[in-house]
Amino acid sequence: MNTTEKICLDGKLYPKDELLFGAGNRAFRYGDSLFETIHANGTEIQFLPEHLNRLTNGMECLGMIIPHGFREKIKTDITFLIHKNKAFAGTRIRLSVFRKDGGLYTPTDNSISYLIETSPLDHDHYVLNRKGLKVGIYEEMRKSPNLTSRFKTGNSLPFILATNYRKKKNWDDCILLNDRGNVVESISSNLFLMKDGILMTPSNENGGVSGIMREQVIETAVDLNITVFDDCVLNPENLLAADEIFLTNAISGIQWVVAYQERRYFNKTAKLLIEELNRRAFNER
């Protein structure tokens, strides 16, 4: 471990391996937390306003108090931490927000703390995977659409169980279903299908996370004159009928799927979209 690497807790820097929380931490006790995973290239932070919009919407939903000047403070602290850790290539930023200690299920304090961490990425831009992903369906724990399903919360058990199932099956990713058996998302990504020239993605009302990259891909596709349906109700049979499948998230951009069951897919649209996405995200015109 790099002993000089720092993390940022409430605006103060600490060594990355320093123990900072006690047993009363509400993120630990109750999953009373939200987080964002953000891509940075040097001190350029991709889609930070969109990430902060989703985060503050989630904080309001959970009844957390948003500090005055929170957005500006977070941007300043992320940039400062990037400099301190010399994270000037591709960098993953994890921004966590959690309610302060106190209370059982009923909090005694709705004010928050925040933690910022950095970790290096293999690439400073979005790079399409050379080898397509092999995916399958995880059915044992289904996602239910609810008040918090569109946010990234501290309760990640469905994704953890899906990851263990994926490893057992030797897949690259798992597709999660909702309680009606409809396709929702993958372990850490939103999902898109291409069929007969139309790009389709499950509606957020199905229980998936309201992805930052999902919205960027939709906007990019519209700019490229691709017809997009972003309010779909899709089932596993739609996966088998698709011409292409790809997954999107804020760190990888777009990752294409080559196989589901015995079906094999192309990646023409994924290639087109990731080229334009890089131009948009990194001001390469």
Side-chain angles (χ1 to χ4, degrees):
M1 177 181 289
N2 180 359
T3 57
T4 64
E5 194 169 354
K6 306 294 184 183
I7 58 177
C8 176
L9 175 64
D10 294 337
K12 297 180 181 180
L13 297 183
Y14 299 88
K16 186 173 183 178
D17 58 352
E18 184 164 334
L19 301 179
L20 299 176
F21 308 123
N25 178 269
R26 293 188 62 86
F28 166 72
R29 284 196 167 196
Y30 305 113
D32 192 0
S33 62
L34 298 161
F35 71 95
E36 293 289 325
T37 309
I38 307 165
H39 190 287
N41 180 0
T43 55
E44 293 183 12
I45 308 165
Q46 280 66 59
F47 311 119
L48 181 60
E50 291 82 357
H51 281 285
L52 292 178
N53 283 344
R54 182 172 65 182
L55 181 65
T56 53
N57 286 339
M59 293 167 70
E60 289 178 350
C61 177
L62 297 183
M64 295 176 174
I65 297 172
I66 302 172
H68 177 72
F70 178 72
R71 291 167 177 265
E72 295 77 13
K73 177 62 172 169
I74 291 297
K75 182 176 181 180
T76 298
D77 286 350
I78 290 176
T79 304
F80 186 57
L81 187 63
I82 287 172
H83 279 285
K84 293 300 280 187
N85 287 339
K86 297 180 171 57
F88 297 125
T91 303
R92 180 198 307 264
I93 309 294
R94 182 180 168 106
L95 167 61
S96 304
V97 170
F98 47 93
R99 212 181 312 256
K100 288 189 179 294
D101 294 4
L104 301 177
Y105 284 144
T106 304
T108 58
D109 186 351
N110 285 312
S111 58
I112 59 98
S113 286
Y114 63 89
L115 177 69
I116 306 171
E117 306 164 81
T118 67
S119 57
L121 296 172
D122 292 334
H123 305 283
D124 56 7
H125 285 48
Y126 303 124
V127 177
L128 193 67
N129 47 316
R130 282 187 165 185
K131 182 180 178 183
L133 306 180
K134 181 180 179 182
V135 303
I137 297 285
Y138 175 67
E139 299 192 55
E140 294 179 7
M141 185 174 184
R142 300 193 176 192
K143 290 196 70 182
S144 297
N146 58 55
L147 192 64
T148 64
S149 55
R150 57 198 167 119
F151 306 116
K152 302 182 82 169
T153 74
N155 179 9
S156 298
L157 286 176
F159 307 112
I160 292 168
L161 294 175
T163 299
N164 280 339
Y165 188 76
R166 171 194 67 78
K167 290 168 65 177
K168 184 169 66 175
K169 292 291 188 177
N170 199 29
W171 296 334
D172 298 302
D173 211 326
C174 276
I175 307 300
L176 282 76
L177 305 177
N178 64 17
D179 48 10
R180 295 186 176 183
N182 297 320
V183 170
V184 177
E185 60 197 346
S186 78
I187 292 169
S188 60
S189 303
N190 292 112
L191 178 140
F192 286 82
L193 309 183
M194 194 72 179
K195 176 64 176 175
D196 296 332
I198 297 174
L199 188 61
M200 296 176 282
T201 189
S203 165
N204 287 332
E205 302 302 316
N206 286 308
V209 171
S210 181
I212 304 304
M213 188 55 62
R214 175 183 183 272
E215 294 306 313
Q216 295 302 319
V217 167
I218 290 170
E219 291 179 14
T220 300
V222 170
D223 288 347
L224 293 173
N225 296 317
I226 297 171
T227 300
V228 181
F229 294 161
D230 64 354
D231 57 352
C232 297
V233 177
L234 302 173
N235 56 48
E237 287 72 28
N238 295 121
L239 301 180
L240 292 171
D243 300 318
E244 294 185 46
I245 298 177
F246 57 84
L247 309 177
T248 67
N249 64 51
I251 299 301
S252 300
I254 298 172
Q255 300 286 281
W256 69 284
V257 172
V258 70
Y260 166 63
Q261 295 186 5
E262 301 305 316
R263 186 77 167 88
R264 298 296 179 265
Y265 305 98
F266 302 107
N267 63 3
K268 179 181 177 182
T269 306
K271 286 181 178 178
L272 180 67
L273 286 169
I274 202 166
E275 289 175 5
E276 181 62 23
L277 182 62
N278 273 314
R279 283 191 284 268
R280 290 165 60 100
F282 303 103
N283 299 313
E284 296 178 350
R285 294 290 177 183

